[in-house]
């Protein structure tokens, strides 16, 4: 039945054709969330049908002999043609044997889920962990056929070299934060294929993707976060593509984004009366610009690096010192009124002002200074996680999983618990990440506190339970926190194994010291390159935090934008 649709899809064209005594072929072209969505299929039946009736090209009624008591159907899909769908089906299901297919699928999933193994923890925690690992492997979607053909975003048919794949379903506003950094650890082949796919989309449209689906672009959400994914990959040495072309695409995408990029480039912020989501867009563009600067630096393009380092500081233009929040600003320079810090509104994307108050991942030290210094920054972070208000007005269903004003059920909050580690109180990061692991996930059908968003919620769980999180993709650094399990083994993309150990984390929530292969890790973060060496990352934990083990008064955390780097030791 090709009349069935999801959401508000419109069917432009459909075809159904009996292609032999045991095969039915067809296609459908729809317009909806993604434009020009082609789906071709080839279905093979284990018994011949006695009769086939096609109604209006959209419904097929197949009649089988009464003697057929068991019917097995194998369906191949393609975005290119019925012939390719048939070829895909024959390659993936050469026999109509349900038990054989099931056994093969189970073996594939066991291999995939065996990439990370954990020991210890409760049964519920292990269930949460492996469920999260499963969720992180459901997207992106493979769109290229076994013969290498795929439908491009300009609707032409491309063909890949042997061994390469084309992917879509990239929820970049969500996944640049944790899901993509996770892949740089465990699957660099996938990372290279995703970057090459995004560059192919750029060739077709003149812009890197925002939220691609199938062979189209949904233009959902904000930012040009493909630049974060590409820069993070390049800076980590994942370089199976042309870096110069990638930088060209990154710069171009920062100039043509339809949600106010022209205004942002001209003014240093997006005027609130001219565009919705002006604050969120300005802050996220500033971070994206920083990743472009980092990429340009790596390619020795000083002019681009200089321009985008300056643009990365544009977040300052929307900071209101009188309230301590990033606020909507009009073209005349005045602030948007009324200002409601506990309400979602047109200046923010699925968020209240509290949720974007701490989104400057590329210059945490600069944010600390804006908020009045380290002590005031820490005081406001404490308020974020504890402040309750009867004035809260949440008109967006995505804002869920509240802890004070923090909302774990939506992505803008995901890095915030880790910010304590930038300001000399890492024990609060360790306490809060454990609480979030415990309270925001459960082994039930509704066990994730918010929208999974193509694996981002689960990637947060995976990394945090391993004791790592990428607060600022593009920095090549993972901030440390207390692991959830006594032992975890991670099969790295280079074939090495990273083993994470911790002494009785069920009782001990705080870090006393960390070593990697016996060498002390003095800072609150660890570089990507060191993790990829593999070996043993060992956490010595304790039951109680010791505030005296933070940083000395006046010691500032490193600033990614300004190039300063001051280590924050655990025990100074």
């Amino acid at each position: 039945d090709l009349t069935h649709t999801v959401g508000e899809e419109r069917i432009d064209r459909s075809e159904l054709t009996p292609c032999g005594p045991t095969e039915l072929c067809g296609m459908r072209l729809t317009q909806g969330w993604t434009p020009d969505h082609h789906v071709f299929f080839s279905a093979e039946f284990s018994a011949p049908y006695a009769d086939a009736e096609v109604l209006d090209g959209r419904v097929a009624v197949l009649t089988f002999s009464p003697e057929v008591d068991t019917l097995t159907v194998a369906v191949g899909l393609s975005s290119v043609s019925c012939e390719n769908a048939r070829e895909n089906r024959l390659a993936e299901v050469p026999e109509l044997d349900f038990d054989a297919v099931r056994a093969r699928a189970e073996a594939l999933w066991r291999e995939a889920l065996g990439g990370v193994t954990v020991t210890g923890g409760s049964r519920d925690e292990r269930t949460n962990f492996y469920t999260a690992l499963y969720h992180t492997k459901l997207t992106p979607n493979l769109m290229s056929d076994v013969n290498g053909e795929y439908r491009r975003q300009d609707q032409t048919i491309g063909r890949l070299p042997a061994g390469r794949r084309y992917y879509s379903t990239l929820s970049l506003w969500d996944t640049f934060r944790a899901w993509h950094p996770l892949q740089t650890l465990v699957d660099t082949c996938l990372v290279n294929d995703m970057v090459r796919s995004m560059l192919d989309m750029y060739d077709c449209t003149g812009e890197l993707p925002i939220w691609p689906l199938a062979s189209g672009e949904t233009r959902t959400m904000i930012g040009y976060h493909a630049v974060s994914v590409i820069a993070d990959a390049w800076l980590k040495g994942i370089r199976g593509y042309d870096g110069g072309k990638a930088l060209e695409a990154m710069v171009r995408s920062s100039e043509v984004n339809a949600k106010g990029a022209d205004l942002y480039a001209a003014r240093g912020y997006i005027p609130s009366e001219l565009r919705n989501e002006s604050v969120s867009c300005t802050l996220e563009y500033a971070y994206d610009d920083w990743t472009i600067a980092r990429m340009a630096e790596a390619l020795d393009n000083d002019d681009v690096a200089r321009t985008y380092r300056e643009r990365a500081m544009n977040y300052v233009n929307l900071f209101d010192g009188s309230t301590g929040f990033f606020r909507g600003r009009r073209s005349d320079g005045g602030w948007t009124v009324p200002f409601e810090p506990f309400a979602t509104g047109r200046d923010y994307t699925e968020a209240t002002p509290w949720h974007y108050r701490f989104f400057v991942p590329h210059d945490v030290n600069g944010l600390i200074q804006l908020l009045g210094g380290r002590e005031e920054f820490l005081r406001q972070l404490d308020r974020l996680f504890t402040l309750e208000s009867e004035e809260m007005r949440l008109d967006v269903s995505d804002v869920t999983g509240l802890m004070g004003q923090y909302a774990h059920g939506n992505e803008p909050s995901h890095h915030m618990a880790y910010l304590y580690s930038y300001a000399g109180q890492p024990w609060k990061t360790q306490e809060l990440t454990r609480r979030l692991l415990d309270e925001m996930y459960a082994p039930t059908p509704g066990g994730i506190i918010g929208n999974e968003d193509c694996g981002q919620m689960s990637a947060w769980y995976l990394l945090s339970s391993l004791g790592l999180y990428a607060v600022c993709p593009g920095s090549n650094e993972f901030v440390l926190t207390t692991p959830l399990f006594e032992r975890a083994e991670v099969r790295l993309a280079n074939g090495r194994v990273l083993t994470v150990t911790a002494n009785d984390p069920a009782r001990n929530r705080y870090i006393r010291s960390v070593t990697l292969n016996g060498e002390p890790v003095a800072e609150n973060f660890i570089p990507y390159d060191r993790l990829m060496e593999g070996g043993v990352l060992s956490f010595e934990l304790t039951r109680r935090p010791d505030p005296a083990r933070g940083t000395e008064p006046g010691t500032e955390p490193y600033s990614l934008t300004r190039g300063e780097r001051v280590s924050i030791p655990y025990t100074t």
Side-chain angles (χ1 to χ4, degrees):
D1 178 6
L2 298 184
T3 66
H4 176 76
T5 60
V6 176
E8 298 179 353
E9 283 186 309
R10 183 186 81 244
I11 301 174
D12 276 2
R13 183 161 62 95
S14 63
E15 297 174 5
L16 284 168
T17 306
C19 298
T22 60
E23 184 183 11
L24 179 70
C25 299
M27 66 82 63
R28 190 172 77 178
L29 169 63
T30 59
Q31 307 294 333
W33 189 30
T34 189
D36 298 322
H37 186 186
H38 290 78
V39 178
F40 296 86
F41 78 92
S42 165
E44 177 76 11
F45 299 86
S46 58
Y49 43 80
D51 184 56
E53 184 180 7
V54 177
L55 308 176
D56 195 28
R58 295 191 176 188
V59 177
V61 180
L62 304 182
T63 303
F64 292 85
S65 166
E67 288 141 18
V68 177
D69 58 358
T70 299
L71 190 65
T72 303
V73 189
V75 182
L77 298 175
S78 170
S79 66
V80 175
S81 66
C82 288
E83 292 75 16
N84 280 17
R86 180 184 299 113
E87 192 174 346
N88 291 341
R89 171 175 58 79
L90 291 171
E92 295 177 359
V93 186
E95 73 290 282
L96 285 177
D97 184 333
F98 180 86
D99 290 335
V101 172
R102 176 177 177 172
R104 201 157 57 241
E106 287 182 351
L108 286 168
W109 274 109
R110 287 188 182 280
E111 170 67 16
L113 298 177
V116 186
T117 59
V118 294
T119 305
S122 67
R123 179 181 179 85
D124 284 355
E125 288 168 341
R126 293 191 299 275
T127 300
N128 288 342
F129 185 90
Y130 285 109
T131 301
L133 184 58
Y134 168 73
H135 285 177
T136 64
K137 295 182 179 296
L138 295 177
T139 54
N141 292 133
L142 176 65
M143 295 302 299
S144 51
D145 296 330
V146 293
N147 64 6
E149 290 187 339
Y150 63 101
R151 184 174 296 275
R152 306 175 73 210
Q153 285 200 347
D154 61 3
Q155 299 304 307
T156 62
I157 304 303
R159 182 183 285 270
L160 296 170
R164 291 193 180 179
R165 294 183 166 196
Y166 180 87
Y167 288 97
S168 191
T169 314
L170 299 171
S171 183
L172 293 166
W173 182 79
D174 307 291
T175 55
F176 85 88
R177 305 166 197 268
W179 186 89
H180 281 282
L182 172 65
Q183 304 314 311
T184 66
L185 292 170
V186 299
D187 197 343
T188 53
C189 290
L190 174 61
V191 175
N192 272 322
D193 277 333
M194 286 189 292
V195 173
R196 287 189 288 254
S197 299
M198 291 191 287
L199 291 175
D200 184 271
M201 296 171 196
Y202 166 74
D203 286 340
C204 291
T205 66
E207 183 178 2
L208 288 168
I210 297 172
W211 210 123
L213 180 66
S215 298
E217 172 58 66
T218 69
R219 304 201 71 80
T220 304
M221 306 311 294
I222 63 170
Y224 30 94
H225 296 306
V227 305
S228 169
V229 175
I230 295 172
D232 192 47
W234 185 266
L235 292 162
K236 289 174 176 174
I238 306 170
R239 300 181 176 182
Y241 46 93
D242 185 329
K245 177 181 177 179
L247 180 61
E248 168 202 301
M250 294 161 77
V251 170
R252 175 63 177 161
S253 299
S254 75
E255 297 170 338
V256 300
N257 187 281
K259 294 191 176 181
D262 53 343
L263 297 167
Y264 168 84
R267 297 171 177 267
Y269 70 96
I270 300 171
S272 59
E273 82 276 18
L274 300 180
R275 289 285 190 280
N276 290 342
E277 305 174 294
S278 61
V279 175
S280 298
C281 285
T282 296
L283 295 178
E284 296 196 20
Y285 291 178
Y287 160 72
D288 286 337
D289 288 345
W290 175 81
T291 68
I292 296 174
R294 288 271 292 166
M295 182 78 169
E297 290 168 359
L299 293 169
D300 296 322
N301 191 323
D302 295 337
D303 291 340
V304 171
R306 185 181 310 108
T307 297
Y308 282 85
R309 276 197 302 269
E310 293 173 357
R311 284 174 48 137
M313 300 303 293
N314 282 338
Y315 72 90
V316 174
N317 297 331
L318 291 187
F319 185 78
D320 173 21
S322 66
T323 62
F325 284 86
F326 294 103
R327 290 182 56 180
R329 192 167 210 157
R330 302 188 305 271
S331 299
D332 62 8
W335 299 112
T336 302
V337 292
F339 175 61
E340 301 175 287
F342 300 104
T344 54
R346 61 167 277 151
D347 291 339
Y348 305 89
T349 302
E350 296 182 357
T352 72
W354 274 98
H355 302 149
Y356 271 94
R357 193 181 192 189
F358 299 94
F359 188 81
V360 189
H362 58 292
D363 191 15
V364 179
N365 186 55
L367 177 61
I368 290 172
Q369 304 315 312
L370 282 182
L371 285 170
R374 187 173 69 165
E375 295 306 317
E376 182 61 17
F377 176 78
L378 290 167
R379 190 175 80 85
Q380 295 302 330
L381 263 184
D382 289 344
R383 294 184 72 217
L384 169 70
F385 287 98
T386 59
L387 181 62
E388 304 289 344
S389 174
E390 296 180 358
E391 301 175 26
M392 286 194 76
R393 190 175 73 252
L394 305 177
D395 298 328
V396 181
S397 60
D398 297 71
V399 181
T400 57
L402 296 177
M403 183 182 289
Q405 296 304 304
Y406 174 92
H408 191 73
N410 209 27
E411 281 69 22
S413 292
H414 276 188
H415 68 291
M416 293 179 185
Y418 287 89
L419 294 179
Y420 285 102
S421 292
Y422 289 69
Q425 292 187 347
W427 58 89
K428 289 184 179 177
T429 289
Q430 297 149 26
E431 179 178 335
L432 283 167
T433 53
R434 178 60 64 84
R435 281 191 59 194
L436 293 169
L437 287 167
D438 290 346
E439 297 175 20
M440 302 297 173
Y441 301 82
T444 63
I448 298 178
I449 204 68
N451 189 339
E452 174 65 274
D453 284 319
C454 293
Q456 169 59 26
M457 288 286 292
S458 287
W460 190 97
Y461 189 95
L462 286 182
L463 287 172
S464 296
S465 63
L466 293 173
L468 307 166
Y469 194 76
V471 169
C472 184
S475 70
N476 285 11
E477 294 172 355
F478 289 83
V479 179
L480 299 174
T481 192
T482 307
L484 184 60
F485 299 97
E486 294 176 3
R487 184 182 181 90
E489 294 187 0
V490 182
R491 189 168 62 216
L492 299 171
N494 58 14
R496 297 170 181 163
V497 174
L498 176 68
T499 302
V500 180
T501 64
N503 57 300
D504 198 3
R507 298 182 63 188
N508 302 322
R509 294 196 170 197
Y510 303 99
I511 297 173
R512 174 174 290 160
S513 64
V514 182
T515 60
L516 179 59
N517 296 325
E519 295 293 323
V521 178
E523 299 83 14
N524 289 334
F525 64 90
I526 191 164
Y528 171 82
D529 287 347
R530 292 198 65 191
L531 290 174
M532 294 303 288
E533 294 172 1
V536 179
L537 181 64
S538 178
F539 290 78
E540 182 186 354
L541 306 180
T542 182
R543 293 187 65 183
R544 294 181 177 83
D546 182 358
R549 294 180 182 273
T551 59
E552 296 177 348
T555 301
E556 295 181 350
Y558 58 89
S559 167
L560 296 170
T561 297
R562 299 171 190 168
E564 302 164 2
R565 187 166 299 281
V566 181
S567 299
I568 308 174
Y570 289 110
T571 56
T572 298

